Amino acid sequence: MKYKGIIFDLDGVICFTDKYHYQAWKSLADEIGVYFDETINNRLRGVSRMASLDIILERSEKDYTPEEKEQMAARKNERYRTLLEQMSPADLSAEVRETLDDLRAKGILLAIGSSSKNAKLILGRIGLGDYFDAISDGTNITHSKPHPEVFLKGAQFLGLDPEDCLVVEDALAGIDAAVAGGFDGAGLGEAATHPKVTWAMKTFSDLKQICE
């Protein structure tokens, strides 16, 4: 078998929390009087919380101190975490669950590689709290994608080398990170159009054929 481990991005791959991110950022942007819409929100995919805030503040007429930015990011996260309480196992599709079970039955190790500091909370809400063999997330990294750190640590946690792992992503920056770390990359959605993607996927279940 070509891959001994698979490292999955979380949001947009395993489940979808974009609407909650958007609502929380929109609330903050309205609060500080900065224009924000879904087009701007799309630029935040795969980006760390503070880098996302910097993108939003590009339209601000006011300069904020690092301390003020930290406070704003904290307020956004509090609102986001409250919204996440709406999630349940119903937010995990049957296709994703069946595919994950199929990959595990083949003996492949499974990990999460997400920049989110809320990854464990989200996994718990959708019924996958103890499912993955390793979780590399925003709580254990200092560099966000397209830096490969989150995936390199994911492979390390699995006890595998990058060349033995496949990264599954929906964001272009995620494929950039996979390539930079020496991983093969499987792309969904926008990530499937990346010129360096190893596998362009149409659906999550394509992984069954990729890992035969």
Side-chain angles (χ1 to χ4, degrees):
M1 191 175 294
K2 182 172 177 60
Y3 302 111
K4 297 178 181 178
I6 302 179
I7 306 173
F8 300 89
D9 179 37
L10 180 57
D11 192 16
V13 174
I14 300 296
C15 62
F16 297 87
T17 64
D18 278 359
K19 63 181 179 181
Y20 302 126
H21 275 298
Y22 175 74
Q23 291 170 21
W25 281 125
K26 176 66 173 166
S27 175
L28 177 69
D30 289 347
E31 177 186 308
I32 61 176
V34 173
Y35 179 78
F36 182 71
D37 61 17
E38 293 189 10
T39 300
I40 300 171
N41 188 63
N42 287 338
R43 294 175 58 197
L44 312 184
R45 293 169 64 247
V47 179
S48 71
R49 191 181 307 159
M50 295 308 296
S52 294
L53 179 59
D54 285 336
I55 290 172
I56 292 169
L57 293 179
E58 289 173 357
R59 291 173 174 262
S60 175
E61 296 179 357
K62 178 181 177 181
D63 290 328
Y64 292 94
T65 66
E67 292 75 19
E68 288 174 322
K69 289 182 179 181
E70 289 286 352
Q71 291 170 3
M72 285 190 284
R75 292 203 301 276
K76 180 269 177 180
N77 191 53
E78 289 171 5
R79 295 165 190 175
Y80 175 61
R81 288 176 67 89
T82 298
L83 291 167
L84 290 179
E85 293 300 321
Q86 301 174 34
M87 296 191 77
S88 74
D91 289 292
L92 178 66
S93 74
E95 178 191 12
V96 170
R97 183 63 194 236
E98 290 167 5
T99 301
L100 291 174
D101 288 344
D102 181 84
L103 297 171
R104 169 155 283 175
K106 291 176 178 176
I108 300 173
L109 297 176
L110 307 178
I112 291 293
S114 168
S115 298
S116 173
K117 293 182 179 180
N118 296 302
K120 295 181 180 69
L121 170 65
I122 295 168
L123 290 170
R125 296 299 303 174
I126 63 175
L128 292 178
D130 299 315
Y131 189 89
F132 290 90
D133 299 294
I135 296 175
S136 178
D137 61 15
T139 65
N140 60 249
I141 61 172
T142 56
H143 304 286
S144 293
K145 305 167 190 175
H147 194 284
E149 181 184 16
V150 71
F151 296 138
L152 291 171
K153 287 199 171 181
Q156 178 186 342
F157 294 161
L158 291 176
L160 298 174
D161 294 323
E163 55 265 31
D164 293 322
C165 297
L166 175 68
V167 165
V168 184
E169 264 284 352
D170 72 315
L172 295 176
I175 298 298
D176 285 336
V179 172
F183 298 87
D184 280 0
L188 282 165
E190 184 181 40
T193 69
H194 195 294
K196 293 186 178 180
V197 73
T198 312
W199 307 95
M201 298 164 57
K202 293 183 178 179
T203 66
F204 191 89
S205 60
D206 287 350
L207 285 170
K208 295 179 182 180
Q209 285 70 49
I210 291 172
C211 295
E212 281 183 346

